[in-house]
Amino acid sequence: MRAEQGSAAAPAVPFAAASALEADTLFAERSRLAVSAAAADDGPEAPAAEARVIVVTSGKGGVGKTTSTANIGMSVARLGYRVALIDADIGLRNLDLLLGLENRVMYTAMEVLDGECRLEQALIRDKRWRNLALLAISKNRQRYNITSGNMETLAALLIEKGFNFIFIDCPAGIDIGFLNAIAPAREAIIVTTPEITSIRDADRVAGLLEANGVFNVKLLVNRVRADMIKKNDMMSVKDVQEMLGVPLLGAIPEDTNVIISTNRGEPLVLKKKLTLAGIAYENAARRLVGRKDALIDLESPSLNLLERAKQFLSGGQSE
Ligand code: ADP
Ligand code: MG
């Protein structure tokens, strides 16, 4: 694997449990956001900054790209940024499902590119957070001949429209669909599970990203099971990060609530009672936008982190 990058590329933020202070900050901010969510119509004012185009990719399928795009995208929107999500998984479109927006896909990027509708008509604004929008590339599982040039045009249109973050949900594999999806990206989040097949694909993808000029790459380790790591049945997050030599953005635990939230079309990070995976996604999103939050350590968890989250958020709030 990419041994040459080894520990030199280790994250600037130490792999350590979130301190009580940071947890407090996170929870206080959530309660503030919950209040502003109720008041939001066109969404909060976005901080001015250069737009960031980030592809969420993995090589291997089924490791959590779409789940991570939906949850990190939603979290970043809740932090006040204008966020556009592009579903570039043309054959297996399902980002709309995870966001509960599936019945609202009328126009897609193809109609925008063909001049049949305006970008605004193809952007599906989330009703909960109006500063989050989804752009689907295809409808009805049809395959279209999108090119990397088309993808660059779409990203440029979204930047022109004032979006601060554009997340591209990448298809599995490393063929033309992958190359198209990464074309406009300046940054990447590589999602992997702590399994050797997934790590090998992630390593391959890391090399391809670099070869294609995407140098700003971060790692998200998904479906982590502390119980298995303890028994030496699963690689630790640190092991995975060191194998790949890519800085760590976050680690997300295995959590059955992911499936429930997928079925409901409600990203985990919207739950008032956060589960540990919800906290972990928020933590990753905050780190992505440059907050100085330490990484939540899933392996020697401040077990009371979840307890504290529950207590803090349960007062008077249902579900
Ligand atoms: P991809 O987009 O990489 O194909 P998905 O985001 O669609 O992957 O996830 C694949 C499956 O794994 C889905 O059924 C999803 O609910 C499940 N999944 C993803 N992350 C987790 C997690 N942290 N815990 C439990 N299930 C998960
Ligand atoms: Mg997917």
Side-chain angles (χ1 to χ4, degrees):
M1 304 256 165
R2 292 150 62 86
E4 75 279 7
Q5 292 195 5
S7 55
V13 180
F15 188 78
S19 71
L21 182 66
E22 279 144 353
D24 280 344
T25 314
L26 176 64
F27 302 147
E29 184 140 11
R30 267 191 79 83
S31 81
R32 185 180 62 71
L33 286 169
V35 174
S36 69
D41 50 8
D42 276 339
E45 206 40 49
E50 206 182 312
R52 291 172 64 180
V53 186
I54 305 172
V55 65
V56 181
T57 183
S58 68
K60 192 173 189 302
V63 299
K65 291 178 293 297
T66 304
T67 306
S68 301
T69 307
N71 280 287
I72 294 181
M74 181 64 86
S75 262
V76 171
R78 285 162 57 92
L79 289 169
Y81 297 88
R82 293 200 171 101
V83 177
L85 308 179
I86 303 182
D87 188 348
D89 194 351
I90 298 176
L92 298 169
R93 172 171 74 89
N94 54 17
L95 189 54
D96 54 338
L97 279 175
L98 265 70
L99 292 162
L101 303 176
E102 68 276 16
N103 295 324
R104 294 180 47 210
V105 180
M106 302 288 288
Y107 295 105
T108 67
M110 295 315 292
E111 281 90 52
V112 178
L113 291 166
D114 290 345
E116 290 168 17
C117 75
R118 287 176 294 110
L119 176 64
E120 192 55 46
Q121 291 173 287
L123 282 175
I124 306 161
R125 303 260 174 192
D126 189 281
K127 286 203 173 113
R128 299 156 291 200
W129 287 87
R130 305 268 318 156
N131 51 329
L132 179 81
L134 171 70
L135 181 64
I137 289 186
S138 81
K139 218 163 60 170
N140 306 330
R141 293 175 186 269
Q142 273 174 280
R143 280 195 175 270
Y144 289 93
N145 287 331
I146 193 131
T147 64
S148 53
N150 290 154
M151 287 298 293
E152 276 165 11
T153 304
L154 291 173
L157 287 172
L158 290 167
I159 293 170
E160 204 176 287
K161 197 130 193 76
F163 284 98
N164 309 110
F165 280 83
I166 297 159
F167 292 95
I168 302 169
D169 184 18
C170 190
I174 49 171
D175 62 7
I176 188 73
F178 163 81
L179 292 172
N180 288 340
I182 70 168
R186 300 287 162 265
E187 297 176 48
I189 297 174
I190 299 182
V191 184
T192 184
T193 60
E195 288 164 81
I196 197 69
T197 48
S198 173
I199 296 168
R200 188 171 57 187
D201 285 3
D203 188 54
R204 193 93 189 275
V205 157
L208 287 171
L209 286 165
E210 203 174 308
N212 285 278
V214 183
F215 300 111
N216 186 346
V217 177
K218 295 185 181 70
L219 183 68
L220 192 69
V221 185
N222 190 22
R223 308 195 79 154
V224 175
R225 287 189 51 178
D227 55 334
M228 287 180 72
I229 295 171
K230 260 192 214 111
K231 284 193 267 170
N232 257 337
D233 289 334
M234 183 178 268
M235 257 179 274
S236 74
V237 174
K238 194 163 184 290
D239 287 344
V240 176
Q241 189 267 321
E242 281 176 359
M243 278 181 87
L244 288 167
V246 174
L248 194 58
L249 176 68
I252 315 295
E254 171 80 22
D255 185 347
T256 50
N257 287 291
V258 170
I259 297 156
I260 299 169
S261 86
T262 301
N263 291 337
R264 287 194 185 157
E266 186 184 68
L268 279 179
V269 294
L270 285 181
K271 277 180 89 70
K272 284 174 186 152
K273 281 186 184 174
L274 272 184
T275 62
L276 194 52
I279 295 175
Y281 269 125
E282 280 206 354
N283 180 251
R286 293 171 62 86
R287 288 160 52 81
L288 187 70
V289 303
R291 306 278 173 108
K292 300 288 177 219
D293 297 32
L295 207 57
I296 290 178
D297 184 354
L298 300 174
E299 289 155 44
S300 49
S302 23
L303 265 187
N304 65 6
L305 188 69
L306 186 56
E307 282 312 308
R308 281 157 47 92
K310 281 183 179 158
Q311 275 170 21
F312 183 86
L313 297 165
S314 62
Q317 299 186 30
S318 61
E319 243 268 311

